[in-house]
Amino acid sequence: MTANDRSQRLLFTIVTILYWTSMYTYVPILTPYLSGRGISLQMIGIVLGSYGFVQMLGRFPLGIMSDKWGKRKPFVLLGMVTAGLSCLLFIIPGIWIWPLAGRMMAGICASTWVAFTVLYASYFGAGQTGRAMGNISVMIVSGQMLGMVLSGWLNDGFGEHAPFITGGILAAIGLVLALMLREPKLEAGSRPAMSFAMIRSVIRTKMLLQVSVLSILAHGVLFITMFGFTPLKAEQLGANGSLLTLLVFAFMLPHAIASSVTATWFVNRFGYWGTIGIGFVASSLCTASMALFQSYEMLVLTQAINGFAQGLHLPLLLALSIRDVELPGRATAMGLYQALYAIGMFSGPFLAGWLNESWGLDSGFVFGALLGAAAALLVWLWSSQERAAARRAKPSSAEGIGL
């Protein structure tokens, strides 16, 4: 690896952390902030769900465009611009339309993540996709954790608008740095033109479709809990900005640790399906327990375990989504994967918001636990089918001796 390659990876890492930090500086205080503006729980669910709804519509087309043009950097720049705009829209006074517009703009921002992942993978050689996706998962968690830890401190020390303003400033810095990113040059004729045949081939990739379904359920749980209604639950239990920061730290630190050791420790011992299944079972149990425990201390404990559990399966689902896809179609595959899991980001908090409005806040957590249990069941089913197929493909000992 050349010095230029190392500098580009470092620059990409800084830009990526700023990207996620800017989007998450306000996430822990978002539901209390919206509630304080007099917005109902059902409407809060719609605002939260709009983030995933926009991604559901935007990520796949952006992935196709990126592959068609053979460019990733323009979409990275778009991501930084929309990150800043999304933060600033929240501080416009008035009715619910501005928070809704801000969260939808954040959805556009997150849709550009397709290009980030493929650009970073291009800095690595063939066969190193797993390593690249493991690294980028740590960047995601680091940026999210930094933003969410800053959130409560900024809110308590400088007012409710401070997290949004800080997010806008960080996005502007990230935009300036992103201008210095370089895309690896491809040799003439090395990139086949994007075609409908290639798109069809990507869409039919079995592993991509399986992990996309699991990721829909995983992101439904995530956006019902820590990125959704968990901070509001903490506030109802008496948490202020500092305690919200502690709650975030309790979730994100184990999440980051799990993301960094999943591929090197858990997969070697339990395999891909086993590790993913363990993550879903633990996440489902922790989410269900949130409806049972009514103390802030127990909420922190459940989120610490939940953060580790979700750090087990999310990086693996990301890596598996492009494992069986050829390089020219990877942005398309990543776009499809991210567009599909955005269904969970939209439907999870939307349905939970409706349940919360009708039957109380804990009903949404029960719903999230059911999503995690459904994912664990699918993991068991598909892993069983895969093992059975492997046994059928292996010649029997009788055939081997000609009997």
Side-chain angles (χ1 to χ4, degrees):
M1 183 173 62
T2 66
N4 183 62
D5 290 335
R6 286 192 293 269
S7 65
Q8 283 295 299
R9 287 189 192 180
L10 177 60
L11 180 61
F12 181 93
T13 299
I14 296 171
V15 170
T16 299
I17 290 174
L18 288 171
Y19 170 84
W20 286 108
T21 302
S22 66
M23 277 202 290
Y24 277 78
T25 50
Y26 61 82
V27 167
I29 57 94
L30 182 56
T31 46
Y33 174 76
L34 296 175
S35 181
R37 289 180 61 163
I39 299 175
S40 68
L41 286 174
Q42 188 171 2
M43 192 64 218
I44 290 174
I46 293 173
V47 171
L48 296 176
S50 67
Y51 175 70
F53 182 75
V54 171
Q55 294 177 62
M56 185 173 63
L57 298 179
R59 280 185 160 180
F60 190 39
L62 283 177
I64 294 174
M65 289 171 61
S66 179
D67 276 338
K68 185 175 179 62
W69 296 344
K71 298 291 184 183
R72 320 300 181 193
K73 182 176 175 178
F75 299 95
V76 172
L77 299 178
L78 175 63
M80 300 311 304
V81 170
T82 50
L85 289 176
S86 70
C87 293
L88 299 180
L89 284 169
F90 278 102
I91 64 177
I92 299 177
I95 57 174
W96 53 265
I97 192 67
W98 295 116
L100 179 62
R103 203 59 182 147
M104 292 180 73
M105 185 64 70
I108 297 173
C109 171
S111 296
T112 66
W113 181 241
V114 175
F116 279 79
T117 52
V118 178
L119 176 60
Y120 187 66
S122 70
Y123 294 143
F124 290 77
Q128 292 186 299
T129 302
R131 178 188 170 193
M133 293 303 101
N135 290 349
I136 210 167
S137 294
V138 175
M139 295 178 211
I140 294 171
V141 174
S142 299
Q144 290 174 343
M145 182 166 62
L146 179 58
M148 295 173 79
V149 166
L150 284 173
S151 184
W153 174 72
L154 289 167
N155 185 74
D156 282 355
F158 303 96
E160 63 181 7
H161 289 160
F164 302 101
I165 295 171
T166 301
I169 294 171
L170 293 176
I173 296 171
L175 175 62
V176 173
L177 294 177
L179 291 169
M180 294 183 280
L181 285 172
R182 296 190 184 95
E183 296 194 50
K185 293 182 179 180
L186 297 175
E187 296 179 4
S190 64
R191 183 178 60 84
M194 173 54 59
S195 65
F196 285 111
M198 185 180 293
I199 295 172
R200 282 198 304 271
S201 175
V202 168
I203 291 173
R204 292 173 180 173
T205 305
K206 181 180 179 181
M207 180 60 74
L208 170 61
L209 297 178
Q210 287 179 331
V211 298
S212 294
V213 171
L214 294 175
S215 202
I216 290 171
L217 298 170
H219 283 82
V221 176
L222 181 60
F223 279 78
I224 287 171
T225 54
M226 197 59 197
F227 296 165
F229 293 98
T230 298
L232 190 57
K233 169 92 172 183
E235 187 184 56
Q236 290 183 356
L237 295 175
N240 56 15
S242 299
L243 291 179
L244 285 176
T245 298
L246 177 61
L247 179 67
V248 168
F249 196 74
F251 178 90
M252 297 302 293
L253 182 59
H255 190 85
I257 293 171
S259 297
S260 64
V261 301
T262 292
T264 57
W265 197 89
F266 280 89
V267 171
N268 289 337
R269 286 160 178 79
F270 304 107
Y272 282 103
W273 287 123
T275 303
I276 292 170
I278 291 170
F280 275 118
V281 170
S283 178
S284 178
L285 292 174
C286 286
T287 303
S289 69
M290 292 170 63
L292 301 176
F293 299 129
Q294 299 300 321
S295 72
Y296 171 79
E297 292 75 17
M298 291 305 298
L299 184 65
V300 170
L301 178 61
T302 63
Q303 290 316 286
I305 301 172
N306 210 351
F308 190 88
Q310 294 187 28
L312 290 179
H313 56 63
L314 287 175
L316 292 184
L317 296 175
L318 180 65
L320 291 173
S321 69
I322 59 173
R323 188 192 68 178
D324 298 341
V325 179
E326 296 297 326
L327 183 61
R330 282 189 170 178
T332 298
M334 188 62 71
L336 176 62
Y337 170 71
Q338 294 182 3
L340 288 175
Y341 77 55
I343 295 172
M345 297 164 65
F346 160 67
S347 60
F350 175 79
L351 293 173
W354 177 75
L355 290 169
N356 292 341
E357 187 72 23
S358 302
W359 288 287
L361 193 60
D362 289 334
S363 62
F365 299 131
V366 173
F367 174 62
L370 293 175
L371 295 181
L377 181 61
L378 286 175
V379 170
W380 174 80
L381 176 64
W382 288 334
S383 63
S384 298
Q385 290 175 347
E386 194 172 278
R387 287 194 299 270
R391 286 194 298 268
R392 288 194 299 269
K394 185 177 181 180
S396 66
S397 58
E399 291 172 336
I401 61 175
L403 296 176

